[in-house]
Amino acid sequence: YLDESTRNTLTGEALAIRALLHLYLAGLYGEVPYVETTTYAVNQNISKSTTVQIYAKLQSDLLQAENLLSETYATTERTRINRSAARLLLARVFIYRQEWEKARHYANLVKASPTYSLESSLANVFQKGAKSTVWQFAPVDTGANTLEGQTFIIRGTPPPYGFLSPDMISSFETGDLRRSSWTKSIVDGSTVYYYPFKYREYTKTPVSLEYSVILRIEEAYLIAAEAENNLGNTAEALQDLNSIRVRAGLTTPSSATPQEIQNLIVQEKRHEFFTEGGHRFLDLKRWNLLGTTLQPVKPQWQNFMKNWPLPQRELLVNSNLKPQNDGY
């Protein structure tokens, strides 16, 4: 038997996770099914939902989660979803849908929570005890750290997975502390490879020092800035941007046009959230900047690539998922 509080917490967590999964599925693939049951007889023949339907359903899931969850975490290490996590996801949904007032409302609720604050030092943002973390994943093994650290940190050349492009490195403003704190390099002859250094632990430590951060308060500031800018409140937008830029050692203009502010937001999201959760791809997609951004660096880029191909194995077992996405 589960008491009502536990039932509410577990249900709210499940709804929020379901919404987050479908938010990414829709962002990557376009039209996909919205799976709401564990009944295989339903799911084996499930059909696609339109993007409008998907967003309506995940919004409903998150609103239910907000009502069911408490602001208090079920664990001491922020590894379970709470009400602020649901609200931050709602803010993301509304900014994706250009519902500016709702996005601002939910972003400001998260910003106002006394549970969170911006870490004054960039070196602390990805520590497991960071005050800016809204939701994070703990490693399974005692003393283990993150898969991100094992994937991104380059210990030898050639890099086994990937590295940051020279264009990315050169895009940081002069004096941006995120470049010096969140990136490192390794030299192989005349070639310099830059890599993310947000997570700094590659191997196990006596106790785990870093958890994988899924949501953090900085997103609320940048969502609020974008919403305020689109509502015509440029001073408030610059104030939210300044909260992020000051920590990075940068100044913010006292006034700017809406387009100049939007350009700043595009750059801030790039430099604040690189290698985190696909923010860059999904943001460029919703801003209609994918083509102009990727064409110079990926000459074979075509517009249909904004949606990934549906997995062929899924199409083979469920014909209701057809047709395949355009171009594939």
Side-chain angles (χ1 to χ4, degrees), residues 82-93:
N82 72 339
R83 181 178 295 154
S84 282
R87 285 174 168 171
L88 185 51
L89 290 174
L90 276 165
R92 188 188 298 184
V93 168

Side-chain angles (χ1 to χ4, degrees), residues 84-244:
S84 282
R87 285 174 168 171
L88 185 51
L89 290 174
L90 276 165
R92 188 188 298 184
V93 168
F94 288 128
I95 208 73
Y96 281 11
R97 304 307 290 169
Q98 299 185 3
E99 296 186 50
W100 311 121
E101 290 189 2
K102 292 179 180 178
R104 175 180 64 179
H105 170 72
Y106 279 101
N108 284 340
L109 283 177
V110 179
K111 284 168 50 189
S113 171
T115 306
Y116 314 104
S117 60
L118 293 170
E119 288 284 348
S120 58
S121 171
L122 291 167
N124 295 334
V125 174
F126 295 91
Q127 296 289 303
K128 70 176 182 181
K131 298 185 292 294
S132 55
T133 297
V134 178
W135 183 32
Q136 61 188 352
F137 289 165
V140 175
D141 297 332
T142 301
N145 289 290
T146 68
L147 289 176
E148 289 89 342
Q150 295 175 38
T151 301
F152 295 136
I153 295 173
I154 300 175
R155 306 181 84 186
T157 58
Y161 299 112
F163 50 92
L164 298 175
S165 68
D167 176 70
M168 171 64 186
I169 296 299
S170 64
S171 71
F172 285 99
E173 293 177 50
T174 301
D176 193 329
L177 298 176
R178 289 171 296 199
R179 173 175 174 173
S180 56
S181 183
W182 286 353
T183 72
K184 286 184 76 70
S185 63
I186 185 171
V187 179
D188 181 6
S190 60
T191 304
V192 179
Y193 296 101
Y194 293 92
Y195 59 90
F197 199 56
K198 290 178 170 180
Y199 297 96
R200 302 172 181 218
E201 302 299 332
Y202 186 89
T203 58
K204 284 188 173 183
T205 45
V207 296
S208 300
L209 300 177
E210 297 173 341
Y211 290 178
S212 296
V213 177
I214 308 302
L215 297 172
R216 54 188 178 98
I217 191 72
E218 289 85 348
E219 184 179 359
Y221 281 88
L222 292 174
I223 287 175
E226 186 174 351
E228 295 284 17
N229 190 44
N230 280 279
L231 290 168
N233 305 322
T234 55
E236 289 81 359
L238 287 169
Q239 184 175 352
D240 283 319
L241 276 171
N242 192 56
S243 297
I244 302 298

Side-chain angles (χ1 to χ4, degrees), residues 28-30 281 285 304-310 324-325 328:
L28 296 175
Y29 295 99
F281 180 87
K285 185 174 181 177
F304 72 81
M305 296 175 181
K306 66 183 180 181
N307 288 330
W308 291 10
L310 297 171
Q324 174 61 277
N325 283 338
Y328 297 103

